[in-house]
Amino acid sequence: MEYLKVKCHRCGNSFHLYNRDMSYEERPPMCPHCLVRMDKIQWVRLIDAFFTFAEVNKNFRKYHMDRGEPLFQVELLTEKKYVKPEKIVLNDDFTQQAGTEKSMEEVLRDMGALADIVKNPVPNRNIENCE
């Protein structure tokens, strides 16, 4: 059975989300420890990602049983460390043009509408066929 382990960086605790918890109709989950709720858009993306991984793993098992193909299992891992944006200091051409080193938070505030792309990136997509 696939499940997700979610770490809340507000309180530092973790909780699990199981297949039965993943539904577009449900409200986004909240951390059971500090009661902060996940963003709705990120919840929808998380559901999509979860079911994609679950389907790939199911197909690996099915094709192994039906066709004798090699058996694989895919697991998504992330780094354990999280750095808050205000702790990141950019030292590239963008900040040098401003004449001072700025924190990531200051740079994002100065970027205006483009900052949303940095804060909420769109999953990788194949853009070769786009016009």
PDB file of all heavy atoms in Angstrom, residues 42 45 116-123:
ATOM      1  N   GLN A  42      -1.788  23.196  -4.089  1.00  0.00           N
ATOM      2  CA  GLN A  42      -0.740  22.204  -3.842  1.00  0.00           C
ATOM      3  C   GLN A  42      -1.350  20.845  -3.492  1.00  0.00           C
ATOM      4  O   GLN A  42      -0.792  19.809  -3.840  1.00  0.00           O
ATOM      5  CB  GLN A  42       0.194  22.658  -2.721  1.00  0.00           C
ATOM      6  CG  GLN A  42       0.956  23.928  -3.066  1.00  0.00           C
ATOM      7  CD  GLN A  42       1.812  23.786  -4.308  1.00  0.00           C
ATOM      8  OE1 GLN A  42       1.317  23.619  -5.424  1.00  0.00           O
ATOM      9  NE2 GLN A  42       3.109  23.845  -4.117  1.00  0.00           N
ATOM     10  N   ARG A  45      -2.209  19.176  -6.760  1.00  0.00           N
ATOM     11  CA  ARG A  45      -0.972  18.693  -7.378  1.00  0.00           C
ATOM     12  C   ARG A  45      -0.436  17.456  -6.661  1.00  0.00           C
ATOM     13  O   ARG A  45       0.086  16.531  -7.294  1.00  0.00           O
ATOM     14  CB  ARG A  45       0.084  19.792  -7.364  1.00  0.00           C
ATOM     15  CG  ARG A  45      -0.203  20.920  -8.319  1.00  0.00           C
ATOM     16  CD  ARG A  45       0.847  21.989  -8.214  1.00  0.00           C
ATOM     17  NE  ARG A  45       0.589  23.052  -9.172  1.00  0.00           N
ATOM     18  CZ  ARG A  45       1.216  24.210  -9.163  1.00  0.00           C
ATOM     19  NH1 ARG A  45       2.147  24.463  -8.263  1.00  0.00           N
ATOM     20  NH2 ARG A  45       0.935  25.126 -10.066  1.00  0.00           N
ATOM     21  N   ASP A 116       5.757  34.830  -8.120  1.00  0.00           N
ATOM     22  CA  ASP A 116       4.827  33.709  -7.980  1.00  0.00           C
ATOM     23  C   ASP A 116       5.373  32.453  -8.643  1.00  0.00           C
ATOM     24  O   ASP A 116       5.174  31.351  -8.160  1.00  0.00           O
ATOM     25  CB  ASP A 116       3.463  34.063  -8.563  1.00  0.00           C
ATOM     26  CG  ASP A 116       2.453  32.964  -8.296  1.00  0.00           C
ATOM     27  OD1 ASP A 116       2.290  32.590  -7.110  1.00  0.00           O
ATOM     28  OD2 ASP A 116       1.859  32.467  -9.261  1.00  0.00           O
ATOM     29  N   ILE A 117       6.104  32.619  -9.740  1.00  0.00           N
ATOM     30  CA  ILE A 117       6.690  31.473 -10.431  1.00  0.00           C
ATOM     31  C   ILE A 117       7.752  30.828  -9.556  1.00  0.00           C
ATOM     32  O   ILE A 117       7.873  29.614  -9.492  1.00  0.00           O
ATOM     33  CB  ILE A 117       7.291  31.903 -11.788  1.00  0.00           C
ATOM     34  CG1 ILE A 117       6.173  32.384 -12.705  1.00  0.00           C
ATOM     35  CG2 ILE A 117       8.085  30.772 -12.428  1.00  0.00           C
ATOM     36  CD1 ILE A 117       6.667  33.053 -13.969  1.00  0.00           C
ATOM     37  N   VAL A 118       8.513  31.640  -8.849  1.00  0.00           N
ATOM     38  CA  VAL A 118       9.560  31.114  -7.968  1.00  0.00           C
ATOM     39  C   VAL A 118       8.948  30.439  -6.758  1.00  0.00           C
ATOM     40  O   VAL A 118       9.360  29.369  -6.346  1.00  0.00           O
ATOM     41  CB  VAL A 118      10.522  32.237  -7.531  1.00  0.00           C
ATOM     42  CG1 VAL A 118      11.544  31.727  -6.543  1.00  0.00           C
ATOM     43  CG2 VAL A 118      11.205  32.845  -8.749  1.00  0.00           C
ATOM     44  N   LYS A 119       7.912  31.066  -6.176  1.00  0.00           N
ATOM     45  CA  LYS A 119       7.289  30.518  -4.972  1.00  0.00           C
ATOM     46  C   LYS A 119       6.425  29.304  -5.272  1.00  0.00           C
ATOM     47  O   LYS A 119       6.299  28.405  -4.457  1.00  0.00           O
ATOM     48  CB  LYS A 119       6.438  31.583  -4.288  1.00  0.00           C
ATOM     49  CG  LYS A 119       7.243  32.688  -3.660  1.00  0.00           C
ATOM     50  CD  LYS A 119       6.313  33.689  -3.006  1.00  0.00           C
ATOM     51  CE  LYS A 119       7.069  34.831  -2.384  1.00  0.00           C
ATOM     52  NZ  LYS A 119       6.178  35.851  -1.833  1.00  0.00           N
ATOM     53  N   ASN A 120       5.780  29.259  -6.430  1.00  0.00           N
ATOM     54  CA  ASN A 120       4.874  28.180  -6.795  1.00  0.00           C
ATOM     55  C   ASN A 120       5.227  27.643  -8.174  1.00  0.00           C
ATOM     56  O   ASN A 120       4.512  27.879  -9.134  1.00  0.00           O
ATOM     57  CB  ASN A 120       3.414  28.667  -6.800  1.00  0.00           C
ATOM     58  CG  ASN A 120       3.018  29.239  -5.478  1.00  0.00           C
ATOM     59  OD1 ASN A 120       3.125  28.592  -4.464  1.00  0.00           O
ATOM     60  ND2 ASN A 120       2.594  30.493  -5.482  1.00  0.00           N
ATOM     61  N   PRO A 121       6.342  26.927  -8.289  1.00  0.00           N
ATOM     62  CA  PRO A 121       6.750  26.460  -9.614  1.00  0.00           C
ATOM     63  C   PRO A 121       5.774  25.448 -10.188  1.00  0.00           C
ATOM     64  O   PRO A 121       5.141  24.702  -9.465  1.00  0.00           O
ATOM     65  CB  PRO A 121       8.115  25.821  -9.359  1.00  0.00           C
ATOM     66  CG  PRO A 121       8.106  25.476  -7.915  1.00  0.00           C
ATOM     67  CD  PRO A 121       7.221  26.475  -7.235  1.00  0.00           C
ATOM     68  N   VAL A 122       5.656  25.470 -11.495  1.00  0.00           N
ATOM     69  CA  VAL A 122       4.824  24.513 -12.208  1.00  0.00           C
ATOM     70  C   VAL A 122       5.656  23.257 -12.416  1.00  0.00           C
ATOM     71  O   VAL A 122       6.849  23.353 -12.698  1.00  0.00           O
ATOM     72  CB  VAL A 122       4.383  25.097 -13.567  1.00  0.00           C
ATOM     73  CG1 VAL A 122       3.588  24.088 -14.365  1.00  0.00           C
ATOM     74  CG2 VAL A 122       3.592  26.362 -13.351  1.00  0.00           C
ATOM     75  N   PRO A 123       5.085  22.070 -12.273  1.00  0.00           N
ATOM     76  CA  PRO A 123       5.864  20.855 -12.503  1.00  0.00           C
ATOM     77  C   PRO A 123       6.488  20.861 -13.895  1.00  0.00           C
ATOM     78  O   PRO A 123       5.974  21.478 -14.815  1.00  0.00           O
ATOM     79  CB  PRO A 123       4.823  19.738 -12.389  1.00  0.00           C
ATOM     80  CG  PRO A 123       3.685  20.336 -11.654  1.00  0.00           C
ATOM     81  CD  PRO A 123       3.711  21.807 -11.942  1.00  0.00           C
TER      82      PRO A 123
END
